[in-house]
Amino acid sequence: MSKNEDVIEVLGARVHNLKNIDVTIPREKLVVITGLSGSGKSSLAFDTIYAEGQRRYIETFSAYARQFLGNLERPDVDKIDGLSPVIAIEQKTTSKSPRSTVGTITEIYDFLRLFYARASDAYSYNTGKKMVSYSDDQIKSLILEDFMDKKVSILAPVIRSRKGHYRELFEQIAKQGFLKVRVDGVIVDITKGMKVDRYKNHDIEIVIDRLKISEGTDNDKRLQESIVTAMYHGEDVLMVLDNDSNKARFFSRSLMCPESGISYPNPEPNNFSFNSPKGMCPSCKGLGMLHEVNISKVVPDDSLSIKNGALAPHGPQKNNWIFKQLELIAQRFKFKLTDPFSKIPKDAQQIIFYGGNDKFDVESKTLGITRNYKIDFEGVATFIQNTFDAGETTSLKRWAKEYMDKIKCPECEGSRLRKESLYFKVNGKNIAELAQMDVVELAAWFENLEKDLSETQVKIASEIIKEVKTRLQFLVDVGLTYLALDRSSKSLSGGEAQRIRLATQIGSQLVGVLYILDEPSIGLHQRDNEKLIQSLVALRDIGNSVIVVEHDKDMIEAADYVIDIGPAAGRFGGEIVSEGTPSEILKHKTLTAQYLNGQKEIEIPKERRKGNGAFLELKGATGNNLKNVSIKIPLGMMIGVTGVSGSGKSTLINETLYPILNAYYFNGVKKPMPYKSIKGLDHIDKVIDINQSPIGRTPRSNPATYTGVFSEIRSLFAKVPEALIRGYKPGRFSFNVQGGRCETCKGGGLRVIEMNFLPDVYVECETCQGKRFNRETLEIRYKGKSIYDVLEMTIDEACDFFEPIPKIFRKLKTIRDVGLGYITLGQQSTTLSGGEAQRIKLATELSKRDTGQTFYILDEPTTGLHFEDIRVLMIVLQKLVSKGNTVLIIEHNLDVIKTVDYIIDIGPEGGKKGGTVMAIGTPEQIVKKNKGFTAPFLKKELKSK
């Protein structure tokens, strides 16, 4: 590494908690940065090296372009040398749009669209026959061949199976000089004021010419002109009618069904895009799903009367226009608003739900007069649907959504595309069928495709097929064999999204780039880890530098160079404690080295718990890829749900079990995936779900506000005698609302000075000196500390300070227990590392009172955690279980799996080949059964101890 150009040199990095460090990173190597969660790994990799690379790239633009891009701040570092163009592959970069899918992110779907636009065959959706298209010359020679010596009429179809009286159309045709039209199979003369029955479907064609087909140049010329005219008026379609047999035949320049005459536009890639008006299903606008009003949610209890609130959206009877209309409907159909809803006539229910207009007379016998009434009612269900479709505000839409179900679009059956696009096929498959296959199936389909294509198709498509095959192979290489192209990117986990981006980057085959990855092994089973490491090595071998922020043991051992940051986290970290090759790292006395060489370890419990004898029994789960799964979950234990990525763990737990429990205990609205039955709900009394969604990342959010402890602290300050005398309420001590905050910086503590062509500069607010509150608020002190002083305390200090106040102490103690004693109460959430944010979230949920019968569900809680952090976390979780609660963890990390009491292993593979329970039992029993892919890795882990 003596040659300067072979290294990236970082001098004096001071971003976040980095302590003015100098580091030399070898180029074109696989470098792993590791260390405790919160020690400064991401600060070095992303906030220093990546941020500077981005900034230098944007600096190359003109000042004019930069003003639109927003300028990037220069990271707090003295100098970085040897930097290549930088690409960061983070966890939070996928789009949450419902229109984004695996196919669109990887661009494979774009290649498929091109493939179908250029090399597919079109079929008629009416007859299933292959569509044909002709040039004008071909049409002429076909007419000469098939209708020689016959009298024919050349017709231009203008209306097909549509209702209307068409008076204006007939006038227009006459003005263009045509004398006859064919209406519903009969040729008639156009007369003045001519029209047809407006309530019936009609077919109307203009008679362009009537002639006898014969040889000769005059006839030839006349036929040619008639074809051009008919094509013009019939929008590229014409009909030739044999006058003797009255049989018609269609010809078209576009694709057309020779029997029924329907035609498709010539295919373009847009016709196969569900994000383009040309290709999207008109009913669901290319989303594949629709929201439909569920009548049983509108009338949840039909034994109630309308007066007592049978119509849930409107509640009990009020004196307003809607109920006046309902009274009219009751008069019209002779029922009362006090009748149970189930007794109301079906016709009346129809009008109540879907609306209607009606006039009726009521004779008053006492007065001897007849009154006219008019019903003009939109209908409750129609109103909800319209509010959802055209609601101006999110809250209105949310209100409408309460009475609706999400259903598969009946028109496109979830394929997102319009009918015509689905009838373009290659080797018997349409594009939607390809998008539904998983990566392995699709790769196999393309492997055998070329021998089934015609010579022309092969010529056109060979390059596209090659491109698709290589991209599919990259997805296989990063362990994503189970994904289908139509999988919505919203439903991907952080690790999956990151590996998709990695596959896309490998596909781009760039050289000389610096890639920075953030924990790519998240959500990946040990079995696929090897593939992921090989993919990164492949990126390195083509001439790129790869920096990976990672805690995974295999990844650290496979690296060319390791940088360990520590010694602890937060303000006690930010230094390089060791660096070198993996074997050199082991010789140091650092925490990471101790875990790698086995001096320290996460203990395996002496004995596994037996549980409390109660079970939660779920039967017949069939969501996504689950194959009629039935499981018995023992309660009062720590349970691990394992299996390769995509095997169905999240579907079973997050999409089936959690919604069932949430609906039962808290009336949750999320609909569980299909299942047959569940037993044992009375053995637990609440459920707490801790998933992977990030905590609020705004500068105004901090650990105190997120965990809810700040509200308690503000209430405490409002009870201080001085605050009571001044009449201060808890809101006075919030930096987010007017009153107590400093109005110069609006409670931010910093002021932004806008610099036109340079990054905005943040300076301390001169009014409050960065304290966020005004002078009067800061005068209120509790035990000598102002509200600002409290926000500046670390969690450890705050625990001692607030020990006498149980409500506050309990929440703070949980944050300390998960190993975050070093962060301050007021630290901005934007500056928390991934692992810290994950644990703040855990602490918030864990600080809720457990009842001894609580069911906790954790989805990969070890995201972003170092071995030592995992040890601390497991102690907290073990304490919860010791109190009688049940903790269920979805996890791949072997350090967690070996410490649980009971394992449910799902497999064997991901996607369609998964979805069955491979083995259940204690870790030792799983190893004994040796089924599935988890057992061999677990065996190694248990043996090595």
Side-chain angles (χ1 to χ4, degrees), residues 243-510:
N243 290 348
D244 299 331
S245 64
N246 208 25
K247 274 191 182 164
R249 184 165 161 198
F250 290 89
F251 295 94
S252 169
R253 286 177 187 157
S254 311
L255 289 163
M256 186 202 71
C257 169
E259 281 185 25
S260 60
I262 56 164
S263 68
Y264 300 165
N266 283 327
E268 287 300 317
N270 276 0
N271 294 112
F272 301 99
S273 165
F274 42 78
N275 295 330
S276 152
K278 287 185 174 177
M280 66 171 63
C281 161
S283 176
C284 62
K285 302 283 181 282
L287 293 172
M289 303 296 273
L290 285 173
H291 279 90
E292 185 181 70
V293 178
N294 181 344
I295 297 300
S296 60
K297 286 183 181 173
V298 176
V299 182
D301 181 0
D302 64 2
S303 64
L304 285 178
S305 65
I306 291 179
K307 187 177 180 180
N308 290 338
L311 295 170
H314 297 301
Q317 186 168 8
K318 301 172 194 70
N319 186 19
N320 62 18
W321 183 83
I322 284 178
F323 281 96
K324 288 198 168 72
Q325 284 291 321
L326 290 169
E327 278 169 4
L328 285 180
I329 295 169
Q331 267 190 340
R332 170 79 179 82
F333 290 96
K334 300 185 173 50
F335 67 90
K336 296 190 185 72
L337 294 190
T338 50
D339 295 346
F341 196 85
S342 54
K343 297 277 180 350
I344 294 175
K346 287 282 176 274
D347 297 354
Q349 286 189 16
Q350 204 60 20
I351 288 183
I352 291 170
F353 291 136
Y354 303 107
N357 295 338
D358 198 2
K359 287 182 181 165
F360 64 98
D361 303 331
V362 174
E363 219 173 285
S364 171
K365 286 177 184 162
T366 47
L367 296 172
I369 56 171
T370 303
R371 282 193 173 167
N372 299 334
Y373 289 103
K374 187 179 177 206
I375 297 171
D376 183 6
F377 190 54
E378 187 180 9
V380 180
T382 317
F383 173 70
I384 293 170
Q385 190 73 51
N386 292 344
T387 305
F388 181 77
D389 292 341
E392 259 120 64
T393 63
T394 326
S395 54
L396 266 177
K397 285 189 173 221
R398 201 179 302 130
W399 170 83
K401 223 173 178 176
E402 284 174 23
Y403 305 103
M404 303 179 94
D405 283 342
K406 206 172 181 185
I407 58 157
K408 204 184 254 189
C409 167
E411 193 163 318
C412 64
E413 293 180 351
S415 72
R416 301 170 162 231
L417 295 168
R418 57 172 62 235
K419 187 159 60 172
E420 293 87 340
S421 305
L422 296 174
Y423 279 85
F424 285 86
K425 298 188 178 182
V426 173
N427 200 9
K429 298 256 184 234
N430 65 35
I431 193 165
E433 288 169 319
L434 294 196
Q436 284 158 11
M437 292 181 184
D438 61 40
V439 168
V440 175
E441 270 184 282
L442 193 56
W445 190 81
F446 270 103
E447 207 50 59
N448 307 318
L449 181 63
E450 291 195 27
K451 61 176 188 286
D452 295 319
L453 297 181
S454 70
E455 216 170 294
T456 335
Q457 283 176 315
V458 171
K459 213 176 249 177
I460 296 168
S462 59
E463 278 304 307
I464 304 174
I465 292 172
K466 196 168 109 193
E467 206 51 61
V468 171
K469 276 186 188 170
T470 51
R471 279 165 195 264
L472 288 172
Q473 190 51 47
F474 295 134
L475 284 176
V476 172
D477 291 345
V478 292
L480 294 173
T481 50
Y482 54 91
L483 290 182
L485 296 189
D486 65 355
R487 167 94 174 257
S488 167
S489 63
K490 262 200 320 197
S491 69
L492 297 171
S493 69
E496 284 172 337
Q498 198 179 350
R499 292 198 295 281
I500 283 180
R501 283 203 59 211
L502 176 62
T504 313
Q505 288 302 335
I506 303 172
S508 66
Q509 294 284 309
L510 289 171

Side-chain angles (χ1 to χ4, degrees), residues 55 58-59 63 66-67 69-74 752-762:
R55 191 189 67 78
I58 284 179
E59 287 287 286
R66 290 209 304 275
Q67 70 185 20
L69 285 169
N71 284 288
L72 294 175
E73 205 176 330
R74 187 190 169 93
V752 181
I753 296 176
E754 288 185 14
M755 316 277 277
N756 263 353
F757 293 130
L758 293 166
D760 296 341
V761 175
Y762 290 90

Side-chain angles (χ1 to χ4, degrees), residues 13-42:
R14 293 176 294 276
V15 176
H16 298 324
N17 64 339
L18 296 179
K19 304 220 169 71
N20 201 13
I21 59 171
D22 300 343
V23 61
T24 306
I25 299 169
R27 286 167 57 91
E28 295 185 17
K29 294 277 185 274
L30 174 57
V31 178
V32 168
I33 301 181
T34 188
L36 280 166
S37 167
S39 59
K41 303 181 299 300
S42 296

